[in-house]
Amino acid sequence: MLLLLFSMVLCAQTKKPQPLLVIDTTKAKPLNPLAPTKAAFYSAILPGLGQAYNKRYWKIPIVYGALGTGVYFFMDNNKKYHRFRDAYKIRIAGGKDEFDGQYSDATLINAQKVFQRNRDLSFLITVGLYVLNIVDANVDAHLLQFNVNDNLSLRPDYYQNDINYKHNVGLSLNYQF
């Protein structure tokens, strides 16, 4: 009787074997060689669109902040340049300007030069930031295709020299097949 009871318990404890699922982790994703060009094109059409294409959404406010700051300083310096220029033109024509008695003719000319230089510099910086936006989208799309795994690594290495038995510090470049 005990034998019958134990045999039932033992049979109830056995599990049916489950088939194992094997997932191929070595299969690489297909690379799109035109993705960097497409990202750069999108950023050239609309600043920040290339960053959105690369799924780097956090860069979009930085792009618009940088370009907006450059445009703001360009417009501000342009407005001040024209303000001093118009005042100098009125003064040369013999009229009364808004700076009459406050600034001399030389000061008005100097202010025009300063604001014109700052306006031109703001324009160049804004164009440079626009180009940087395009380059960033292109480089980021290239780096998305870069293979980063443990087969290629650069590690610090501390080893003993075989000739004089002194310890040396260096870098070790390892590539595994």
Side-chain angles (χ1 to χ4, degrees):
M1 179 102 144
L2 281 171
L3 184 62
L4 183 63
L5 182 65
F6 284 125
S7 66
M8 284 188 185
V9 172
L10 290 176
C11 290
Q13 297 297 322
T14 60
K15 291 185 180 178
K16 294 180 183 176
Q18 296 283 338
L20 294 177
L21 289 177
V22 178
I23 299 172
D24 187 11
T25 58
T26 60
K27 190 174 185 181
K29 297 179 199 172
L31 297 178
N32 183 2
L34 296 178
T37 306
K38 192 183 257 188
F41 178 73
Y42 286 162
S43 269
I45 296 298
L46 180 67
L49 192 58
Q51 283 76 10
Y53 176 74
N54 292 333
K55 295 181 177 58
R56 302 283 194 243
Y57 302 110
W58 62 271
K59 291 184 179 182
I60 297 172
I62 296 170
V63 168
Y64 280 103
L67 292 176
T69 302
V71 169
Y72 168 77
F73 281 113
F74 174 79
M75 292 172 55
D76 186 51
N77 286 316
N78 191 40
K79 183 176 75 173
K80 290 178 182 176
Y81 165 71
H82 284 290
R83 182 177 168 202
F84 281 97
R85 183 173 165 247
D86 293 342
Y88 183 70
K89 282 183 176 180
I90 292 171
R91 190 174 290 182
I92 294 299
K96 297 273 187 188
D97 59 89
E98 65 178 297
F99 301 114
D100 194 29
Q102 188 178 8
Y103 296 129
S104 66
D105 290 346
T107 305
L108 290 177
I109 292 171
N110 188 34
Q112 285 179 58
K113 289 180 182 178
V114 167
F115 287 119
Q116 183 180 18
R117 185 186 72 226
N118 289 345
R119 178 195 65 186
D120 296 343
L121 186 62
S122 297
F123 177 75
L124 289 175
I125 289 172
T126 304
V127 168
L129 291 171
Y130 175 74
V131 170
L132 183 65
N133 159 56
I134 296 169
V135 169
D136 174 63
N138 190 351
V139 169
D140 196 29
H142 273 291
L143 291 178
L144 286 175
Q145 297 178 356
F146 187 69
N147 185 9
V148 181
N149 58 20
D150 291 333
N151 290 340
L152 180 64
S153 63
L154 184 68
R155 297 182 195 139
D157 195 16
Y158 183 74
Y159 61 94
Q160 186 174 7
N161 191 342
D162 293 333
I163 297 172
N164 58 7
Y165 300 107
K166 290 186 179 180
H167 293 283
N168 296 329
V169 178
L171 290 175
S172 173
L173 178 65
N174 298 323
Y175 182 74
Q176 298 174 357
F177 294 99

